[in-house]
Amino acid sequence: MALAKRKPNKWPVEAEEVDVALIGGGVLSATIGLILNELQPDWKIVGYERLPKVAKESSNPWNNAGTGHAGLCELNYTKERPDGTMDNAKPVQINEQFQQTRQLWAHLVEKGILGLPETFVNPCPHMSIVTGNDDVEFLRKRWESLRTNPLFAAMEFSDDQEKIREWAPMLVDGRDPQEHIAVTYDPTGTDVDFGSITTQIFNYLDFHGVNVETSKEVTDLKQNTDGTWTLRIVDRGEFGGKKSGEKFVRAKFVFNGSGGWALKMLQKAGIPEVQGYALFPVTGAFMSTDDPSVVEQHKVKVYAKPPVGAPPMSNPHMDARIINGSRSVLFGPYAGIDPRFLKYGSVLDMPKMIRTDNVGAVLNVAKDSIPLIKMLATMIFMTPAQKLAEMRAFAPKASITDWHMIKAGQRAQIIKTDAKGKGGSLEFGTEVVTSADGTLGAVLGASPGASTAVPIVLDVLSRCFPDKIGEWEPRFKEMIPSYGEKLSDNPERAYEVMEHTAKALKLAGPAKTQG
């Protein structure tokens, strides 16, 4: 396949030769690095992370809410059709994908690659909460339309405050007994420490000859005439310090898992497939507490509907967390505006991404997103009293003195130019981008990327190594038993696979579908 027309590579011929180069030290790079190492132990794989340690950006447990996204509680995944029926295609798809990720984790625990399951994943029921007759009816219909699906068979519904108190007392204590509220409750939900998973995988890879160099920033990459890529890598020394020295690496395949900086790297690579893409960065913060009187009352994750016009990542939620064996509770997010594409990025990230091919989409989204931008700006200047009021919509007796503010990770949502190349839209979720010749793969976007890391990686591999997939598929089935299947279409098979995964990871088991 012909290579894209680019400027000739005039960098030095001297370069370290590798088969695979990973850009970024997050959970996606860890996952594809591990799978490729299992499939091709003879390949030389290297990784580069610009920070002093891996898993310090979006994969860090304090930079996300730790939700194993499975569509159990995220109400924005379900759409109500004009005739009043529920469109649940999205939550079912997300759940199918998360099941594959869980299966890989179970396989890695059984092989001793990952440590004790409780070091990275713990049972944590997922709940949705709504108030008011209309939203209660929406939630009831959502539950009724999902409960016959084997992936959601354990989900329960209640609008009885005393029943809700059994599941999550903080939601009811101090609430008006006459207020009409309803919840769904699914015991198969999880709390995930993606930082722990990432670190454990990279530690294993390092022991098996896959070196991930930290404080090393890939600043540019160019394709050679033979289809390989030459990467310029700068030694950052101590983070924030002066850059000291550079080297060049020539790779047959490059995976760009650098989160918010993935677009920057794709633009530097010059592949035509990235034309028309841009990013809309959103920052966030959470209120956090480890006060025993709070954490002992709240051992679930509870999501509400997002405000009208808010991005899905702004769904208000109150999350039980288990990080390094310690319990805490987060509430938020309090979203805001920040031009950086990474938490430790540059204020010039957003202006530098503008190109002639994406400026129309950026302007179109800016015009259409004025209400969203105003909402985000308003959140920046919320007073403590306003923040407390939002929290008390969940926990009526919450006290601001029990909580402190922490800054979350940066999220860069996709802006995509329409087919005519003029307008554009703000897209939520993640998207795989690969070069036509299959030598470069990348992931753009945000949530639920970490939870769906395995199907994302499988997508990248199928696009970039089509001639190897037939050879690799038996190994895929060993690592991911539902590979090539749709569990929601086969209740008995779904129960079998989910039961095995739950036992391996010490999680709540699935329920058998009822009628």
Side-chain angles (χ1 to χ4, degrees), residues 319-337:
D319 299 308
R321 298 302 315 272
I322 302 175
I323 299 173
N324 297 325
S326 298
R327 284 190 172 273
S328 60
V329 178
L330 297 182
F331 176 77
Y334 299 97
I337 302 172

Side-chain angles (χ1 to χ4, degrees), residues 83-119:
D83 63 0
T85 59
M86 297 289 108
D87 179 359
N88 286 310
K90 189 68 170 180
V92 172
Q93 177 193 28
I94 296 295
N95 198 304
E96 292 270 10
Q97 293 176 331
F98 186 50
Q99 295 300 330
Q100 290 191 336
T101 298
R102 283 173 44 141
Q103 289 164 41
L104 178 67
W105 295 345
H107 172 77
L108 299 182
V109 167
E110 291 170 336
K111 285 197 65 176
I113 294 173
L114 288 175
L116 295 173
E118 55 265 33
T119 63

